[in-house]
């Protein structure tokens, strides 16, 4: 295997090996993190030097987070390494500089994805304080508040996460209306908090309201649509009073969502793996309901996995 950017197996300077933290499959997508960082820096420098508009600049800056081949977001260690590389590239700029603010978001997202949640919270809170200090637009502040809430959730501060997510969702509805990507994302995060606190009926109601909006505006294969359908299915089969119909819908939803995720993201992607795991648990819960086990001490499949439901991180601002 060789790097698709420099075409070498070992990086000429750092001697680092190849990684692949995206949705590429087969022999595609293997690369050095240093090459990714250098490529992203060159593209962003060109955008600034040529005074491109904000849309074009955002397209270039996405190279710090997304694969240019499969166009999916990096995950795990690759995302974290790129976050640090991005921050080191722009940290010396004035604090109100757009690229520096973007780099803080990229670093926070990378730390969170690599499960360094306390460090991620420090970055998120510093970013929020900065945006308030420089009088950033309300939408930028909402994006970062949403990321702070997501990190609260990952640190098991569930009540804090719920309070902040409810606030951000309400403000997004007021600012954008319901048919907007940011509102859909924050609806997912708020409903996930309700689920994690076992407020299943409230979570189901919000998912049933917003999933059709996500499917219509974003499409069936969008990562956020897949995440919302996954979490909705969890809400159905984990509820204490889940009916047979609830369990059947959960299994069907997970089967459909897993099939799409495998096609779009590949079998090695964390979301695909999580869908496969929860599909097995939902099927076990359905079998237990259809044919109750003879022993009352049998393991409850719906309680077999108590991990927090996924949050959708905001884009870098």
């Amino acid at each position: 295997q060789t790097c698709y950017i420099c075409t070498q197996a070992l990086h000429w300077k750092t001697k680092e090996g190849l990684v692949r933290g995206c949705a590429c499959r087969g022999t595609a997508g293997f690369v050095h993190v240093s090459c990714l960082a250098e490529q992203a820096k060159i593209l962003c420098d060109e955008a600034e030097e040529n005074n491109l508009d904000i849309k074009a600049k955002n397209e270039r800056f996405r190279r710090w987070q997304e694969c240019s081949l499969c166009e999916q977001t990096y995950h795990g260690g690759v995302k974290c390494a790129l976050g640090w590389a991005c921050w080191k590239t722009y940290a010396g700029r004035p604090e109100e500089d757009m690229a520096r603010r973007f780099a803080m978001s990229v670093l926070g997202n990378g730390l969170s994805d690599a499960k360094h949640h306390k460090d991620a919270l420090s970055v998120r809170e510093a970013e929020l304080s900065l945006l308030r200090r420089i009088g950033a637009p309300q939408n930028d502040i909402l994006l970062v508040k949403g990321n702070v809430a997501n990190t609260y959730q990952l640190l098991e501060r569930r009540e804090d996460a719920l309070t902040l997510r409810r606030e951000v969702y309400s403000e997004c509805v007021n600012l954008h209306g319901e048919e907007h990507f940011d509102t859909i994302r924050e609806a997912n995060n708020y409903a996930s908090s309700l689920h994690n606190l076992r407020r299943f009926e409230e979570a189901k109601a919000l998912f049933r309201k917003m999933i059709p909006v996500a499917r219509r505006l974003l499409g069936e294969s969008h990562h956020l649509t897949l995440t919302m359908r996954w979490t909705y299915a969890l809400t159905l089969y984990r509820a204490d009073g889940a009916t047979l119909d609830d369990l059947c819908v959960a299994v069907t939803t997970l089967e459909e969502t897993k099939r799409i995720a495998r096609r779009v993201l590949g079998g090695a992607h964390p979301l695909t793996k999580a869908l496969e795991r929860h599909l097995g648990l939902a099927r076990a819960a359905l079998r237990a309901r259809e044919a109750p086990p003879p022993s009352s001490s049998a393991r409850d499949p719906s309680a077999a996995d108590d991990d927090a439901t996924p949050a959708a991180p905001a884009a870098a601002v």
Side-chain angles (χ1 to χ4, degrees):
Q1 298 291 345
T2 60
C3 173
Y4 75 84
I5 296 176
C6 74
T7 71
Q8 301 298 312
L10 286 177
H11 191 272
W12 68 274
K13 184 177 182 180
T14 66
K15 306 303 180 185
E16 68 192 84
L18 299 170
V19 297
R20 183 172 67 176
C22 56
C24 286
R25 280 161 274 188
T27 59
F30 288 98
V31 69
H32 302 119
V33 170
S34 294
C35 289
L36 288 173
E38 183 63 22
Q39 183 186 66
K41 182 180 182 301
I42 291 171
L43 289 171
C44 294
D45 287 349
E46 289 176 350
E48 292 184 318
E49 290 167 5
N50 295 318
N51 199 27
L52 299 183
D53 62 29
I54 188 65
K55 182 178 180 181
K57 285 181 179 178
N58 286 338
E59 287 288 335
R60 301 293 185 93
F61 275 111
R62 279 214 293 270
R63 292 284 74 83
W64 285 104
Q65 300 188 101
E66 294 180 3
C67 174
S68 61
L69 301 180
C70 66
E71 298 184 342
Q72 297 297 328
T73 304
Y74 291 110
H75 55 81
V78 175
K79 188 171 183 177
C80 187
L82 278 174
W84 277 115
C86 184
W87 174 245
K88 290 175 182 177
T89 300
Y90 301 110
R93 295 192 179 190
E95 64 176 13
E96 68 274 8
D97 181 84
M98 187 190 76
R100 185 183 187 277
R101 289 162 47 195
F102 173 89
M104 290 189 76
S105 291
V106 174
L107 176 59
N109 290 342
L111 288 167
S112 182
D113 213 62
K115 303 187 186 306
H116 302 309
H117 302 311
K118 290 184 179 179
D119 292 334
L121 182 60
S122 296
V123 173
R124 308 284 202 205
E125 291 178 335
E127 184 183 7
L128 182 58
S129 176
L130 166 63
L131 294 184
R132 286 171 168 162
R133 187 166 62 252
I134 66 175
Q138 183 186 6
N139 186 60
D140 290 357
I141 292 174
L142 284 176
L143 290 174
V144 180
K145 284 173 67 176
N147 281 335
V148 170
N150 293 344
T151 312
Y152 284 162
Q153 180 65 51
L154 293 167
L155 289 169
E156 300 295 325
R157 293 171 57 177
R158 296 186 174 188
E159 291 290 350
D160 291 336
L162 176 68
T163 299
L164 192 52
R165 283 174 167 176
R166 179 171 53 233
E167 177 183 320
V168 172
Y169 170 61
S170 176
E171 291 180 15
C172 279
V173 172
N174 291 334
L175 183 63
H176 303 300
E178 291 184 345
E179 299 205 354
H180 188 279
F181 177 81
D182 289 358
T183 305
I184 297 170
R185 182 193 62 239
E186 298 307 329
N188 170 72
N189 293 341
Y190 178 34
S192 296
S193 272
L194 291 168
H195 167 277
N196 291 329
L197 289 170
R198 303 190 69 80
R199 292 166 60 170
F200 295 121
E201 292 305 314
E202 294 170 80
K204 284 190 285 186
L206 186 52
F207 276 129
R208 286 168 178 160
K209 176 182 178 181
M210 296 303 295
I211 286 176
V213 179
R215 298 173 81 169
R216 184 172 66 254
L217 294 186
L218 307 179
E220 297 287 351
S221 61
H222 193 281
H223 193 281
L224 181 52
T225 306
L226 296 173
T227 300
M228 293 180 78
R229 297 191 70 198
W230 167 31
T231 315
Y232 173 59
L234 266 62
T235 301
L236 289 174
Y237 88 77
R238 283 176 166 176
D240 295 332
T243 66
L244 185 58
D245 284 345
D246 287 336
L247 297 176
C248 289
V249 171
V251 169
T252 300
T253 300
L254 288 168
E255 287 173 341
E256 293 174 353
T257 308
K258 187 200 78 169
R259 185 164 55 249
I260 297 171
R262 178 171 286 277
R263 172 174 56 81
V264 176
L265 304 175
H269 194 278
L271 178 57
T272 307
K273 290 182 176 180
L275 283 162
E276 290 175 345
R277 176 161 49 92
H278 286 290
L279 176 57
L281 293 170
R283 284 172 171 165
L286 178 58
R287 286 194 300 269
R289 177 61 59 86
E290 292 174 332
S295 172
S296 60
S297 62
R299 189 167 177 244
D300 178 7
S302 68
D305 184 31
D306 194 35
D307 58 331
T309 54
V317 296

